[in-house]
Amino acid sequence: TYKKCRLHLRRFAQSIGRSRRITQLRKHHVQQWIDDDYAGKSTTYQHTAISTVVAALNWALSMDYIDRNPIANMRKPTRKVREFFLQPEHWTSLLEAISDRQFADVVAFMLFTGARPQEARVVEARHYDKAHGRLVFSRYESKGEKRQRAIYLDDTAREIVERLIKQYPEGTIFRNREGNAWTKNAFNCRFRRLKKKLKMPELCAYTCRHSFAHMKLTSGTDSQIVSKLLGHVDGRMLATRYGHAEQNEAFMLQQAQTGDPPPLFPTLDMTPFDAAPPAGADHLA
């Protein structure tokens, strides 16, 4: 977060120049910066860049460095709603495209818990609260470092976690075939190859989390409960970033009219991964 904020602030400082004072700053200066430096970026990225500058000036105002924030109410581009998710039959296809048990475990874990990729990569045995069937991260280990994060486990996720804890009682439990902890770059590389193989250009690690939210909502789970399972403070993030709250209401109305039961979480067959992959096998068969 710090590195991203520093990048935006340095670019903005270069754009307005060293001689311009905050009292001279106007909203059109910020917009010109976005138009020049972020023209090819997504609206979400542009939104974040503007928010970073506004937040910096709000901090300066709170510390009495300035008397007012001249861009406090500046309008920002709308964040892109995450609309891509995997249908139940795609969950099976996703795992069938993976050749090794190690990667299949972490993907299935994210699908069945809604965990963030960065959370899955750092799970250790000490996080496991067996009595309550959950993983617990302290506030200092969770996103934002503001509150404790709990990831609740269904039967599939619990089996994966308990099996890997026996194998790795110390350190991270999700590891690659070489026994090393997964890195962000390794995750991204694997998913890039998967989306080409499956012809799903929008597939990424976060798709697992998004698919979990969609399945929970369309199965009738209250949106506030889904927000808590995802680790959100309230339901605003679910409605604005995932765009499923309104979709769920229409879906449930349709189900009430047709009488069809809402879909359940799919049952994934993990037994093919019990056999060791052939020597020299590629990460993706």
Side-chain angles (χ1 to χ4, degrees), residues 42-99:
S42 67
T43 56
T44 298
Y45 196 79
Q46 293 176 359
H47 182 109
T48 301
I50 296 174
S51 296
T52 300
V53 176
V54 173
L57 295 184
N58 282 339
W59 173 85
L61 179 62
S62 70
M63 298 298 292
D64 294 328
Y65 284 115
I66 58 178
D67 295 325
R68 56 181 288 272
N69 182 350
I71 61 171
N73 299 317
M74 181 170 181
R75 296 183 61 180
K76 310 175 189 68
T78 303
R79 290 181 179 272
K80 182 180 179 181
V81 176
R82 294 179 180 137
E83 298 178 345
F84 180 72
F85 54 86
L86 296 172
Q87 295 287 358
E89 59 270 21
H90 295 150
W91 292 27
T92 301
S93 299
L94 178 63
L95 289 183
E96 288 178 347
I98 301 173
S99 62

Side-chain angles (χ1 to χ4, degrees), residues 4 42-45 48 78-86 114-118 143 184 202-215 217 230-232 236-247:
K4 290 181 179 179
S42 67
T43 56
T44 298
Y45 196 79
T48 301
T78 303
R79 290 181 179 272
K80 182 180 179 181
V81 176
R82 294 179 180 137
E83 298 178 345
F84 180 72
F85 54 86
L86 296 172
R116 299 179 178 91
Q118 59 266 39
K143 182 179 180 180
K184 180 179 179 180
E202 295 184 84
L203 179 67
C204 65
Y206 254 85
T207 300
C208 298
R209 176 174 167 85
H210 188 43
S211 300
F212 170 86
H214 173 80
M215 288 297 296
L217 286 170
L230 292 173
H232 297 160
R236 290 178 297 176
M237 178 68 76
L238 191 70
T240 59
R241 296 297 297 277
Y242 288 82
H244 281 346
E246 293 79 11
Q247 294 176 23

Side-chain angles (χ1 to χ4, degrees), residues 219-238:
S219 295
T221 306
D222 182 81
S223 60
Q224 293 296 324
I225 299 299
V226 177
S227 293
K228 294 297 183 182
L229 291 174
L230 292 173
H232 297 160
V233 178
D234 52 44
R236 290 178 297 176
M237 178 68 76
L238 191 70

Side-chain angles (χ1 to χ4, degrees), residues 7-248:
L7 174 64
H8 293 316
L9 292 174
R10 284 181 172 175
R11 285 182 173 178
F12 180 64
Q14 292 172 357
S15 173
I16 62 175
R18 301 175 65 91
S19 61
R20 192 183 307 278
R21 294 180 176 273
I22 298 234
T23 54
Q24 300 172 319
L25 187 62
R26 297 294 182 267
K27 295 176 183 178
H28 66 81
H29 296 134
V30 182
Q31 189 59 53
Q32 188 62 52
W33 165 57
I34 294 295
D35 293 342
D36 291 343
D37 293 0
Y38 294 77
K41 300 296 184 179
S42 67
T43 56
T44 298
Y45 196 79
Q46 293 176 359
H47 182 109
T48 301
I50 296 174
S51 296
T52 300
V53 176
V54 173
L57 295 184
N58 282 339
W59 173 85
L61 179 62
S62 70
M63 298 298 292
D64 294 328
Y65 284 115
I66 58 178
D67 295 325
R68 56 181 288 272
N69 182 350
I71 61 171
N73 299 317
M74 181 170 181
R75 296 183 61 180
K76 310 175 189 68
T78 303
R79 290 181 179 272
K80 182 180 179 181
V81 176
R82 294 179 180 137
E83 298 178 345
F84 180 72
F85 54 86
L86 296 172
Q87 295 287 358
E89 59 270 21
H90 295 150
W91 292 27
T92 301
S93 299
L94 178 63
L95 289 183
E96 288 178 347
I98 301 173
S99 62
D100 55 296
R101 181 62 180 261
Q102 291 79 4
F103 192 50
D105 278 339
V106 70
V107 169
F109 170 80
M110 291 190 295
L111 282 171
F112 281 88
T113 63
R116 299 179 178 91
Q118 59 266 39
E119 293 171 338
R121 294 198 306 268
V122 299
V123 173
E124 298 184 17
R126 61 185 177 87
H127 294 128
Y128 185 37
D129 177 9
K130 186 175 182 178
H132 298 93
R134 62 181 185 171
L135 299 168
V136 181
F137 295 89
S138 70
R139 57 172 292 190
Y140 302 106
E141 298 174 302
S142 63
K143 182 179 180 180
E145 300 184 356
K146 293 182 178 179
R147 56 189 59 83
Q148 178 180 284
R149 162 72 161 132
I151 300 175
Y152 292 90
L153 310 175
D154 71 342
D155 291 341
T156 299
R158 184 193 288 261
E159 184 280 326
I160 293 173
V161 168
E162 291 184 348
R163 169 167 47 81
L164 293 180
I165 284 177
K166 292 179 181 179
Q167 186 175 359
Y168 300 112
E170 300 292 336
T172 58
I173 65 173
F174 290 107
R175 307 187 186 189
N176 60 25
R177 289 188 294 188
E178 287 72 39
N180 299 321
W182 289 102
T183 64
K184 180 179 179 180
N185 287 337
F187 255 42
N188 291 339
C189 180
R190 293 297 297 266
F191 273 95
R192 279 196 296 268
R193 297 171 69 180
L194 277 174
K195 70 181 182 181
K196 291 181 180 179
K197 185 178 181 67
L198 297 172
K199 298 181 180 179
M200 296 179 180
E202 295 184 84
L203 179 67
C204 65
Y206 254 85
T207 300
C208 298
R209 176 174 167 85
H210 188 43
S211 300
F212 170 86
H214 173 80
M215 288 297 296
K216 278 293 184 183
L217 286 170
T218 54
S219 295
T221 306
D222 182 81
S223 60
Q224 293 296 324
I225 299 299
V226 177
S227 293
K228 294 297 183 182
L229 291 174
L230 292 173
H232 297 160
V233 178
D234 52 44
R236 290 178 297 176
M237 178 68 76
L238 191 70
T240 59
R241 296 297 297 277
Y242 288 82
H244 281 346
E246 293 79 11
Q247 294 176 23
N248 186 46

